[in-house]
Structure formats: C-alpha cells, structure tokens
Amino acid sequence: MSFYTKTVSYLFVLFCSPGLLIAQGHWGDYIPVKEVKSTYRIFGDKVNLREDANTKSKIVTSLKAGDKVQILEKANILFEQNQLKENWYKVKTNGGTIGYLWGGLIADYSFTDSNYEILCKNLGPKLTGLELRVLSKDKIISSLKIEDGPVSNEGWGYKKLKEKDFSPSPQSLFSLKYFVFSEIEYGYNQQIIISLSKDGTLTNHFSWLEGSCDPPACMESWLVFPSETLKKDDSIKRVETKGQKNTIIEISRSYDIDDPKSNDYFKKLHIWNGKTFQTKEE
C-alpha cells in the first residue's frame, strides 16, 4: 500500500469517528484580519474610501486595484458581502488621505513577479480557498481561484523557482505558500506551484506539503528540481535523489514519532510537457 493510500485511509477513520467530530469546523467563525501599521494593496477595482465604517457613509475618494493603504486601526464593525465577512478598517492612502475601507476589498498578501503585481485574497471560511489577481499598469488582467479549503492569514510566502530548468521554459515559475486549516489538527502550510505566462495568465499546476503531523503519524516532503540533488540522510534512511530532465521530483516520507524505525518513502514525478506538469506516481 502506498504512502498516500495509507494516509487517505487514516484520515477517513479520523473524519468518520464520532468522538472526533467535535474537532471539525474549528475555523467556522474565523475572520481574516489585517495587521495594524502594515501596508496592503487594494484588491477590488474602483473601491470607495469612506468617511465612516459603513456603506452609506460619504465617499472621501476612490482607489483602484493595487493602490497601497496603511492600516491605522481595526474598527469593531463587521460587514458581510457575497459570503465573505470582514472588519472595517481605518486606513491612510499613499497621498495621506484617511478614511474607512471594508477588509473584503483589501488584498491579504501581494508580491511582484515578472513586472506583474500579484494580489492574493483569502476568501474566508464559507467560500474557502483564495483568489489571485494579476495587475498590469494598475489594471486587473487575469485571475485564478484556488479551492484548497479554509485559509488562514498566517504563513503567506512567495518563492521564485527555476523556470530555466525546463524546456521549453515557462515565462515564470513560482510557489505560493499559505496556511490551511485542518479537520484533525490546527492546520498545515500548503504550497502550490504556479506559472505565469507572458500575457499575465496564471496556471495552477500542483500542490504539496512540506510537512504535517497528527501525532503519532507525521509526514514531510522535498522537491528536487532538474539541476538539483537531494542528499542522502542516514538518520532518516533517505537515499540520494538526483534531479531528472524536465521533471520536479517530489519525495515524501511518512513516519511514526513513537517508532524511530518507522520510515515509508513515496515518490511522485511532475513532468513538464511545455504547458503543464503531468504527475506520475512511482
């Protein structure tokens, strides 16, 4: 039985055990929160900055996607629209104008890749997952929705990957890391591999976990790119793995923290065909 088959079987038992159902849905009342004194970008298009924290308040000015605002304070006023519930915030624009914005119009994370600005939005516990928008010259030119379960605003991260390792190479290749709530544990750091084309189109290829643990069962994984070598590690009985042409090798280890001799390895090959990665299990 493969590592993933055993993992699925294990999770099925956990999810279906009546005594553990109480732990499910612990994220149901989660509200994505912005950090005071931090700077964020506007996620919506043609957003109104208001005098007070309500939709009928006087409009102070209008903001466009990608504009920066600094969070001055969180108002204890919640507003829900399209199943997304967030607080209102008192903010200051780059030009010094102060007013109120609903949090659902503010990106939770952003980064620059290939001269494009990428905005990331947590869709909340009801919709689950996240949405990415690509900006070019202050205009939204494409978007991508990723349904990966309820997402937290902890642990965001962007990493540029080696697109030149592949032929023909994508315009850009990167990983996006974020935190996903789990049914049986608090959660885990999920990563997705995404490419960005010359015209600003995003493609989601595959996801992977660096590691997760619901003691005593745990797992960890590594990605090996064509130009890399994963060194052997005798302490966990990991053998050396050399990169393969046009392939990302995913090495996963499952183990029992109460049993030092427990080591089960599994390999996936993500093979680049010039447009996407096709996954093959070994």
Side-chain angles (χ1 to χ4, degrees):
M1 184 184 291
S2 74
F3 159 70
Y4 282 95
T5 302
K6 284 192 284 188
T7 300
V8 169
S9 300
Y10 178 62
L11 293 178
F12 176 81
V13 172
L14 287 170
F15 289 157
C16 296
S17 299
L20 293 169
L21 291 176
I22 298 174
Q24 296 185 26
H26 55 81
W27 58 80
D29 295 324
Y30 174 77
I31 304 293
V33 176
K34 315 299 186 284
E35 294 184 5
V36 175
K37 297 183 180 180
S38 294
T39 298
Y40 294 85
R41 291 184 180 271
I42 298 298
F43 187 77
D45 195 17
K46 296 180 181 179
V47 171
N48 291 324
L49 182 68
R50 297 186 179 272
E51 197 171 71
D52 293 305
N54 66 76
T55 57
K56 296 181 180 180
S57 178
K58 180 181 176 181
I59 297 172
V60 177
T61 189
S62 292
L63 302 171
K64 58 185 180 298
D67 282 348
K68 293 181 179 180
V69 294
Q70 183 186 31
I71 305 294
L72 299 180
E73 62 182 63
K74 182 183 74 172
N76 292 321
I77 301 172
L78 287 168
F79 178 70
E80 183 172 357
Q81 187 175 51
N82 298 326
Q83 298 187 70
L84 177 59
K85 182 186 289 186
E86 291 205 33
N87 289 86
W88 282 81
Y89 293 89
K90 187 177 182 180
V91 305
K92 182 172 69 173
T93 69
N94 264 3
T97 303
I98 294 176
Y100 286 85
L101 281 176
W102 176 54
L105 300 172
I106 305 172
D108 296 290
Y109 182 67
S110 63
F111 56 92
T112 302
D113 188 284
S114 300
N115 297 319
Y116 291 110
E117 190 70 27
I118 315 295
L119 309 177
C120 307
K121 182 63 190 171
N122 183 347
L123 297 179
K126 290 185 179 180
L127 295 175
T128 70
L130 60 151
E131 182 178 355
L132 277 58
R133 290 180 177 176
V134 181
L135 295 185
S136 177
K137 298 179 180 179
D138 301 325
K139 291 184 179 181
I140 300 170
I141 60 172
S142 70
S143 64
L144 174 67
K145 286 189 177 181
I146 300 169
E147 298 181 1
D148 252 343
V151 177
S152 167
N153 274 2
E154 304 173 42
W156 292 101
Y158 156 80
K159 182 179 180 181
K160 183 74 172 177
L161 301 178
K162 302 175 180 179
E163 63 265 5
K164 292 184 179 178
D165 272 2
F166 306 93
S167 180
S169 63
Q171 172 70 14
S172 177
L173 191 67
F174 63 87
S175 70
L176 177 65
K177 181 172 71 172
Y178 49 92
F179 191 86
V180 180
F181 288 116
S182 169
E183 293 276 9
I184 55 176
E185 56 185 357
Y186 180 61
Y188 51 84
N189 286 315
Q190 173 96 326
Q191 291 199 48
I192 52 175
I193 307 301
I194 297 175
S195 63
L196 178 65
S197 67
K198 290 182 179 179
D199 66 357
T201 300
L202 296 169
T203 301
N204 177 15
H205 296 285
F206 65 91
S207 62
W208 71 291
L209 300 179
E210 289 181 288
S212 67
C213 202
D214 184 50
C218 297
M219 63 83 67
E220 59 183 336
S221 297
W222 303 268
L223 294 185
V224 186
F225 284 76
S227 61
E228 299 175 342
T229 297
L230 181 66
K231 296 181 179 179
K232 73 174 184 176
D233 186 338
D234 292 333
S235 67
I236 57 174
K237 299 180 180 179
R238 188 183 72 195
V239 300
E240 180 180 271
T241 302
K242 293 184 177 180
Q244 298 179 18
K245 182 179 179 181
N246 267 4
T247 301
I248 298 176
I249 305 172
E250 180 181 349
I251 305 293
S252 298
R253 169 191 176 230
S254 67
Y255 60 99
D256 188 319
I257 59 176
D258 295 332
D259 181 6
K261 297 181 180 180
S262 170
N263 275 295
D264 188 8
Y265 281 90
F266 181 82
K267 181 189 291 187
K268 275 186 178 181
L269 303 180
H270 303 285
I271 305 168
W272 177 250
N273 64 9
K275 293 184 179 180
T276 188
F277 288 95
Q278 295 182 326
T279 299
K280 176 183 177 182
E281 295 188 5
E282 285 197 345

PDB file of all heavy atoms in Angstrom, residues 206 222-226 228 230 241-244 247-251 266-270 282:
ATOM      1  N   PHE A 206       0.313  22.049  -9.381  1.00  0.00           N
ATOM      2  CA  PHE A 206       0.106  21.029  -8.357  1.00  0.00           C
ATOM      3  C   PHE A 206       0.458  21.618  -6.995  1.00  0.00           C
ATOM      4  O   PHE A 206       1.123  22.651  -6.892  1.00  0.00           O
ATOM      5  CB  PHE A 206       0.938  19.768  -8.623  1.00  0.00           C
ATOM      6  CG  PHE A 206       2.434  19.962  -8.549  1.00  0.00           C
ATOM      7  CD1 PHE A 206       3.127  19.766  -7.356  1.00  0.00           C
ATOM      8  CD2 PHE A 206       3.167  20.326  -9.672  1.00  0.00           C
ATOM      9  CE1 PHE A 206       4.509  19.928  -7.280  1.00  0.00           C
ATOM     10  CE2 PHE A 206       4.545  20.494  -9.623  1.00  0.00           C
ATOM     11  CZ  PHE A 206       5.218  20.302  -8.424  1.00  0.00           C
ATOM     12  N   TRP A 222      10.004  16.780   0.098  1.00  0.00           N
ATOM     13  CA  TRP A 222      11.022  17.611  -0.532  1.00  0.00           C
ATOM     14  C   TRP A 222      10.772  17.630  -2.041  1.00  0.00           C
ATOM     15  O   TRP A 222      10.334  16.625  -2.612  1.00  0.00           O
ATOM     16  CB  TRP A 222      12.428  17.054  -0.273  1.00  0.00           C
ATOM     17  CG  TRP A 222      12.777  16.896   1.169  1.00  0.00           C
ATOM     18  CD1 TRP A 222      13.406  17.790   1.979  1.00  0.00           C
ATOM     19  CD2 TRP A 222      12.532  15.746   1.992  1.00  0.00           C
ATOM     20  NE1 TRP A 222      13.558  17.285   3.245  1.00  0.00           N
ATOM     21  CE2 TRP A 222      13.025  16.026   3.285  1.00  0.00           C
ATOM     22  CE3 TRP A 222      11.927  14.506   1.761  1.00  0.00           C
ATOM     23  CZ2 TRP A 222      12.951  15.119   4.337  1.00  0.00           C
ATOM     24  CZ3 TRP A 222      11.839  13.605   2.811  1.00  0.00           C
ATOM     25  CH2 TRP A 222      12.348  13.903   4.081  1.00  0.00           C
ATOM     26  N   LEU A 223      11.067  18.761  -2.681  1.00  0.00           N
ATOM     27  CA  LEU A 223      11.015  18.852  -4.135  1.00  0.00           C
ATOM     28  C   LEU A 223      12.437  18.892  -4.668  1.00  0.00           C
ATOM     29  O   LEU A 223      13.294  19.615  -4.150  1.00  0.00           O
ATOM     30  CB  LEU A 223      10.266  20.120  -4.586  1.00  0.00           C
ATOM     31  CG  LEU A 223       8.780  20.218  -4.264  1.00  0.00           C
ATOM     32  CD1 LEU A 223       8.198  21.476  -4.900  1.00  0.00           C
ATOM     33  CD2 LEU A 223       8.018  18.978  -4.721  1.00  0.00           C
ATOM     34  N   VAL A 224      12.680  18.129  -5.723  1.00  0.00           N
ATOM     35  CA  VAL A 224      14.004  18.080  -6.346  1.00  0.00           C
ATOM     36  C   VAL A 224      13.857  18.548  -7.793  1.00  0.00           C
ATOM     37  O   VAL A 224      13.165  17.919  -8.601  1.00  0.00           O
ATOM     38  CB  VAL A 224      14.597  16.657  -6.314  1.00  0.00           C
ATOM     39  CG1 VAL A 224      16.026  16.677  -6.843  1.00  0.00           C
ATOM     40  CG2 VAL A 224      14.554  16.087  -4.901  1.00  0.00           C
ATOM     41  N   PHE A 225      14.520  19.657  -8.136  1.00  0.00           N
ATOM     42  CA  PHE A 225      14.463  20.208  -9.487  1.00  0.00           C
ATOM     43  C   PHE A 225      15.550  19.581 -10.361  1.00  0.00           C
ATOM     44  O   PHE A 225      16.499  18.979  -9.847  1.00  0.00           O
ATOM     45  CB  PHE A 225      14.594  21.729  -9.430  1.00  0.00           C
ATOM     46  CG  PHE A 225      13.338  22.419  -8.969  1.00  0.00           C
ATOM     47  CD1 PHE A 225      12.986  22.415  -7.628  1.00  0.00           C
ATOM     48  CD2 PHE A 225      12.497  23.029  -9.882  1.00  0.00           C
ATOM     49  CE1 PHE A 225      11.820  23.021  -7.195  1.00  0.00           C
ATOM     50  CE2 PHE A 225      11.323  23.640  -9.468  1.00  0.00           C
ATOM     51  CZ  PHE A 225      10.988  23.639  -8.126  1.00  0.00           C
ATOM     52  N   PRO A 226      15.433  19.700 -11.700  1.00  0.00           N
ATOM     53  CA  PRO A 226      16.370  19.029 -12.614  1.00  0.00           C
ATOM     54  C   PRO A 226      17.847  19.290 -12.325  1.00  0.00           C
ATOM     55  O   PRO A 226      18.683  18.398 -12.498  1.00  0.00           O
ATOM     56  CB  PRO A 226      15.966  19.582 -13.987  1.00  0.00           C
ATOM     57  CG  PRO A 226      14.507  19.863 -13.846  1.00  0.00           C
ATOM     58  CD  PRO A 226      14.350  20.376 -12.442  1.00  0.00           C
ATOM     59  N   GLU A 228      19.194  19.911  -9.415  1.00  0.00           N
ATOM     60  CA  GLU A 228      19.496  19.714  -8.001  1.00  0.00           C
ATOM     61  C   GLU A 228      19.716  18.239  -7.653  1.00  0.00           C
ATOM     62  O   GLU A 228      19.347  17.340  -8.417  1.00  0.00           O
ATOM     63  CB  GLU A 228      18.360  20.263  -7.129  1.00  0.00           C
ATOM     64  CG  GLU A 228      18.107  21.744  -7.294  1.00  0.00           C
ATOM     65  CD  GLU A 228      16.909  22.217  -6.500  1.00  0.00           C
ATOM     66  OE1 GLU A 228      16.077  21.384  -6.086  1.00  0.00           O
ATOM     67  OE2 GLU A 228      16.797  23.439  -6.289  1.00  0.00           O
ATOM     68  N   LEU A 230      19.106  15.873  -4.056  1.00  0.00           N
ATOM     69  CA  LEU A 230      18.733  15.754  -2.652  1.00  0.00           C
ATOM     70  C   LEU A 230      19.684  14.752  -2.006  1.00  0.00           C
ATOM     71  O   LEU A 230      19.710  13.580  -2.376  1.00  0.00           O
ATOM     72  CB  LEU A 230      17.283  15.281  -2.528  1.00  0.00           C
ATOM     73  CG  LEU A 230      16.733  15.126  -1.105  1.00  0.00           C
ATOM     74  CD1 LEU A 230      16.641  16.472  -0.407  1.00  0.00           C
ATOM     75  CD2 LEU A 230      15.360  14.438  -1.138  1.00  0.00           C
ATOM     76  N   THR A 241      18.825  11.486  -4.162  1.00  0.00           N
ATOM     77  CA  THR A 241      17.960  11.586  -5.338  1.00  0.00           C
ATOM     78  C   THR A 241      18.492  12.680  -6.244  1.00  0.00           C
ATOM     79  O   THR A 241      18.587  13.837  -5.834  1.00  0.00           O
ATOM     80  CB  THR A 241      16.503  11.913  -4.942  1.00  0.00           C
ATOM     81  OG1 THR A 241      16.011  10.894  -4.064  1.00  0.00           O
ATOM     82  CG2 THR A 241      15.617  11.985  -6.182  1.00  0.00           C
ATOM     83  N   LYS A 242      18.852  12.302  -7.472  1.00  0.00           N
ATOM     84  CA  LYS A 242      19.349  13.276  -8.443  1.00  0.00           C
ATOM     85  C   LYS A 242      18.204  13.770  -9.332  1.00  0.00           C
ATOM     86  O   LYS A 242      17.309  13.007  -9.685  1.00  0.00           O
ATOM     87  CB  LYS A 242      20.443  12.658  -9.304  1.00  0.00           C
ATOM     88  CG  LYS A 242      21.715  12.326  -8.534  1.00  0.00           C
ATOM     89  CD  LYS A 242      22.803  11.795  -9.455  1.00  0.00           C
ATOM     90  CE  LYS A 242      24.084  11.529  -8.675  1.00  0.00           C
ATOM     91  NZ  LYS A 242      25.168  11.015  -9.560  1.00  0.00           N
ATOM     92  N   GLY A 243      18.246  15.050  -9.662  1.00  0.00           N
ATOM     93  CA  GLY A 243      17.216  15.645 -10.499  1.00  0.00           C
ATOM     94  C   GLY A 243      17.153  15.007 -11.872  1.00  0.00           C
ATOM     95  O   GLY A 243      18.160  14.511 -12.388  1.00  0.00           O
ATOM     96  N   GLN A 244      15.956  15.017 -12.466  1.00  0.00           N
ATOM     97  CA  GLN A 244      15.746  14.461 -13.797  1.00  0.00           C
ATOM     98  C   GLN A 244      15.318  15.562 -14.765  1.00  0.00           C
ATOM     99  O   GLN A 244      14.670  16.537 -14.374  1.00  0.00           O
ATOM    100  CB  GLN A 244      14.669  13.375 -13.761  1.00  0.00           C
ATOM    101  CG  GLN A 244      15.009  12.187 -12.885  1.00  0.00           C
ATOM    102  CD  GLN A 244      13.907  11.151 -12.868  1.00  0.00           C
ATOM    103  OE1 GLN A 244      13.037  11.120 -13.731  1.00  0.00           O
ATOM    104  NE2 GLN A 244      13.910  10.282 -11.862  1.00  0.00           N
ATOM    105  N   THR A 247      11.681  17.600 -15.035  1.00  0.00           N
ATOM    106  CA  THR A 247      10.871  16.941 -14.005  1.00  0.00           C
ATOM    107  C   THR A 247      11.121  17.543 -12.628  1.00  0.00           C
ATOM    108  O   THR A 247      12.264  17.841 -12.272  1.00  0.00           O
ATOM    109  CB  THR A 247      11.191  15.433 -13.949  1.00  0.00           C
ATOM    110  OG1 THR A 247      10.932  14.849 -15.231  1.00  0.00           O
ATOM    111  CG2 THR A 247      10.342  14.730 -12.904  1.00  0.00           C
ATOM    112  N   ILE A 248      10.046  17.730 -11.875  1.00  0.00           N
ATOM    113  CA  ILE A 248      10.162  18.024 -10.449  1.00  0.00           C
ATOM    114  C   ILE A 248       9.844  16.730  -9.713  1.00  0.00           C
ATOM    115  O   ILE A 248       8.751  16.170  -9.858  1.00  0.00           O
ATOM    116  CB  ILE A 248       9.183  19.130 -10.002  1.00  0.00           C
ATOM    117  CG1 ILE A 248       9.485  20.450 -10.721  1.00  0.00           C
ATOM    118  CG2 ILE A 248       9.271  19.333  -8.490  1.00  0.00           C
ATOM    119  CD1 ILE A 248       8.500  21.559 -10.388  1.00  0.00           C
ATOM    120  N   ILE A 249      10.796  16.234  -8.941  1.00  0.00           N
ATOM    121  CA  ILE A 249      10.611  15.006  -8.183  1.00  0.00           C
ATOM    122  C   ILE A 249      10.137  15.377  -6.774  1.00  0.00           C
ATOM    123  O   ILE A 249      10.760  16.192  -6.105  1.00  0.00           O
ATOM    124  CB  ILE A 249      11.913  14.193  -8.097  1.00  0.00           C
ATOM    125  CG1 ILE A 249      12.469  13.906  -9.496  1.00  0.00           C
ATOM    126  CG2 ILE A 249      11.674  12.884  -7.341  1.00  0.00           C
ATOM    127  CD1 ILE A 249      13.849  13.264  -9.474  1.00  0.00           C
ATOM    128  N   GLU A 250       9.027  14.782  -6.363  1.00  0.00           N
ATOM    129  CA  GLU A 250       8.508  15.012  -5.020  1.00  0.00           C
ATOM    130  C   GLU A 250       8.755  13.762  -4.180  1.00  0.00           C
ATOM    131  O   GLU A 250       8.235  12.691  -4.482  1.00  0.00           O
ATOM    132  CB  GLU A 250       7.014  15.326  -5.072  1.00  0.00           C
ATOM    133  CG  GLU A 250       6.373  15.586  -3.720  1.00  0.00           C
ATOM    134  CD  GLU A 250       4.884  15.872  -3.828  1.00  0.00           C
ATOM    135  OE1 GLU A 250       4.377  16.069  -4.960  1.00  0.00           O
ATOM    136  OE2 GLU A 250       4.218  15.868  -2.769  1.00  0.00           O
ATOM    137  N   ILE A 251       9.594  13.897  -3.162  1.00  0.00           N
ATOM    138  CA  ILE A 251       9.920  12.799  -2.255  1.00  0.00           C
ATOM    139  C   ILE A 251       9.170  13.014  -0.946  1.00  0.00           C
ATOM    140  O   ILE A 251       9.287  14.070  -0.326  1.00  0.00           O
ATOM    141  CB  ILE A 251      11.431  12.730  -1.970  1.00  0.00           C
ATOM    142  CG1 ILE A 251      12.231  12.630  -3.269  1.00  0.00           C
ATOM    143  CG2 ILE A 251      11.745  11.560  -1.034  1.00  0.00           C
ATOM    144  CD1 ILE A 251      12.022  11.345  -4.022  1.00  0.00           C
ATOM    145  N   PHE A 266       7.816   7.627  -0.517  1.00  0.00           N
ATOM    146  CA  PHE A 266       6.977   7.606  -1.713  1.00  0.00           C
ATOM    147  C   PHE A 266       7.463   8.689  -2.666  1.00  0.00           C
ATOM    148  O   PHE A 266       7.879   9.764  -2.236  1.00  0.00           O
ATOM    149  CB  PHE A 266       5.513   7.849  -1.320  1.00  0.00           C
ATOM    150  CG  PHE A 266       4.559   7.819  -2.477  1.00  0.00           C
ATOM    151  CD1 PHE A 266       4.078   6.623  -2.966  1.00  0.00           C
ATOM    152  CD2 PHE A 266       4.151   8.996  -3.069  1.00  0.00           C
ATOM    153  CE1 PHE A 266       3.192   6.597  -4.030  1.00  0.00           C
ATOM    154  CE2 PHE A 266       3.269   8.983  -4.139  1.00  0.00           C
ATOM    155  CZ  PHE A 266       2.789   7.782  -4.615  1.00  0.00           C
ATOM    156  N   LYS A 267       7.414   8.383  -3.958  1.00  0.00           N
ATOM    157  CA  LYS A 267       7.930   9.335  -4.953  1.00  0.00           C
ATOM    158  C   LYS A 267       6.857   9.675  -5.992  1.00  0.00           C
ATOM    159  O   LYS A 267       6.144   8.799  -6.470  1.00  0.00           O
ATOM    160  CB  LYS A 267       9.148   8.747  -5.670  1.00  0.00           C
ATOM    161  CG  LYS A 267       9.776   9.686  -6.717  1.00  0.00           C
ATOM    162  CD  LYS A 267      10.830   8.963  -7.549  1.00  0.00           C
ATOM    163  CE  LYS A 267      12.049   8.625  -6.746  1.00  0.00           C
ATOM    164  NZ  LYS A 267      13.138   8.066  -7.598  1.00  0.00           N
ATOM    165  N   LYS A 268       6.780  10.973  -6.321  1.00  0.00           N
ATOM    166  CA  LYS A 268       5.952  11.452  -7.419  1.00  0.00           C
ATOM    167  C   LYS A 268       6.828  12.193  -8.417  1.00  0.00           C
ATOM    168  O   LYS A 268       7.729  12.934  -8.019  1.00  0.00           O
ATOM    169  CB  LYS A 268       4.863  12.418  -6.910  1.00  0.00           C
ATOM    170  CG  LYS A 268       3.604  11.787  -6.394  1.00  0.00           C
ATOM    171  CD  LYS A 268       2.581  12.879  -6.075  1.00  0.00           C
ATOM    172  CE  LYS A 268       1.274  12.304  -5.596  1.00  0.00           C
ATOM    173  NZ  LYS A 268       0.278  13.373  -5.311  1.00  0.00           N
ATOM    174  N   LEU A 269       6.543  12.004  -9.690  1.00  0.00           N
ATOM    175  CA  LEU A 269       7.240  12.735 -10.740  1.00  0.00           C
ATOM    176  C   LEU A 269       6.267  13.721 -11.368  1.00  0.00           C
ATOM    177  O   LEU A 269       5.198  13.336 -11.852  1.00  0.00           O
ATOM    178  CB  LEU A 269       7.771  11.772 -11.808  1.00  0.00           C
ATOM    179  CG  LEU A 269       8.712  10.662 -11.342  1.00  0.00           C
ATOM    180  CD1 LEU A 269       9.135   9.813 -12.534  1.00  0.00           C
ATOM    181  CD2 LEU A 269       9.927  11.242 -10.641  1.00  0.00           C
ATOM    182  N   HIS A 270       6.624  15.004 -11.363  1.00  0.00           N
ATOM    183  CA  HIS A 270       5.832  16.041 -12.022  1.00  0.00           C
ATOM    184  C   HIS A 270       6.591  16.424 -13.290  1.00  0.00           C
ATOM    185  O   HIS A 270       7.591  17.139 -13.231  1.00  0.00           O
ATOM    186  CB  HIS A 270       5.644  17.239 -11.101  1.00  0.00           C
ATOM    187  CG  HIS A 270       5.011  16.895  -9.782  1.00  0.00           C
ATOM    188  ND1 HIS A 270       3.665  16.622  -9.645  1.00  0.00           N
ATOM    189  CD2 HIS A 270       5.552  16.766  -8.536  1.00  0.00           C
ATOM    190  CE1 HIS A 270       3.390  16.366  -8.383  1.00  0.00           C
ATOM    191  NE2 HIS A 270       4.518  16.428  -7.688  1.00  0.00           N
ATOM    192  N   GLU A 282       5.307   6.807  -8.489  1.00  0.00           N
ATOM    193  CA  GLU A 282       6.242   5.678  -8.562  1.00  0.00           C
ATOM    194  C   GLU A 282       6.210   4.897  -7.247  1.00  0.00           C
ATOM    195  O   GLU A 282       5.952   5.461  -6.189  1.00  0.00           O
ATOM    196  CB  GLU A 282       7.661   6.173  -8.833  1.00  0.00           C
ATOM    197  CG  GLU A 282       7.878   6.604 -10.272  1.00  0.00           C
ATOM    198  CD  GLU A 282       9.361   6.691 -10.606  1.00  0.00           C
ATOM    199  OE1 GLU A 282      10.192   6.692  -9.664  1.00  0.00           O
ATOM    200  OE2 GLU A 282       9.696   6.748 -11.806  1.00  0.00           O
TER     201      GLU A 282
END
